[in-house]
Amino acid sequence: MASRGVSLKAKGKSSKGSKGSEDRFLSESVKEWSTWAMRKAKVITHYGFIPLVIIIGMNSEPKPQLSQLLSPV
């Protein structure tokens, strides 16, 4: 009877260990995905901000020409 109790505890411990490794794998996957997404968002923001401002400026009233938007005067 005592050996049966020990074997049940061993099963419980092994399932905890596998769940911990699954959680660790999941957290590493989320960390890798979030790092990848933030790098892509940084590049998109870096190269997309000025064109976005120009497009918004060209669609405003009064309708300026591109040269008027780009000139400092």
Side-chain angles (χ1 to χ4, degrees):
M1 185 81 170
S3 63
R4 185 174 176 192
V6 172
S7 66
L8 289 175
K9 286 184 179 180
K11 286 182 184 177
K13 287 182 179 179
S14 65
S15 66
K16 268 189 176 178
S18 65
K19 186 173 182 178
S21 63
E22 289 174 8
D23 290 342
R24 201 172 312 126
F25 173 75
L26 182 62
S27 66
E28 288 176 8
S29 297
V30 169
K31 183 178 177 182
E32 288 176 13
W33 181 87
S34 63
T35 303
W36 177 85
M38 290 303 290
R39 285 183 181 169
K40 297 298 179 186
K42 182 179 176 182
V43 170
I44 290 168
T45 304
H46 181 79
Y47 290 107
F49 182 73
I50 299 295
L52 178 67
V53 170
I54 291 171
I55 289 170
I56 290 172
M58 291 183 76
N59 290 330
S60 64
E61 291 292 329
K63 299 275 186 194
Q65 293 178 354
L66 185 60
S67 61
Q68 291 173 329
L69 285 173
L70 298 177
S71 68
V73 178

